[in-house]
Amino acid sequence: WATATIQDAAMLTQIYAAIGAEAVFTFDYMKPGEMLAETRTLTPKQMVYHRGKVMVRGYDHLREEERTFRLDRIVGGNHGTA
């Protein structure tokens, strides 16, 4: 986390709050090779660290299934929790 920014810390705080409250977390996600980010809505269940990357895992409301998202691909900030 030597390269983490204030925005990264704020996003982690918001995700952990959503996990604790079992709340929805909405964000823009940039998939590899894509030119535009896609807005995703997730009910996050846990944070995981895998192969040097921090990820959030939870129920993706768009895909209607459990999904995992890399934090370094979340762009545009958090749209809030509900």
Side-chain angles (χ1 to χ4, degrees), residues 16-42:
Y16 276 117
I19 291 170
E22 298 181 4
V24 171
F25 179 75
T26 302
F27 55 94
D28 294 328
Y29 191 73
M30 182 66 76
K31 291 196 287 187
E34 297 289 328
M35 296 298 290
L36 297 173
E38 183 176 35
T39 300
R40 304 304 280 267
T41 302
L42 187 75

Side-chain angles (χ1 to χ4, degrees), residues 33-54:
E34 297 289 328
M35 296 298 290
L36 297 173
E38 183 176 35
T39 300
R40 304 304 280 267
T41 302
L42 187 75
T43 301
K45 304 294 183 190
Q46 67 181 156
M47 299 290 293
V48 295
Y49 184 79
H50 181 70
R51 296 185 180 185
K53 303 293 181 186
V54 179

Side-chain angles (χ1 to χ4, degrees), residues 5-7 18 30 34 41-42 52 59 62-65 75:
T5 65
I6 297 295
Q7 290 133 338
M30 182 66 76
E34 297 289 328
T41 302
L42 187 75
Y59 181 79
L62 178 65
R63 301 288 189 244
E64 297 183 339
E65 64 183 8
V75 296

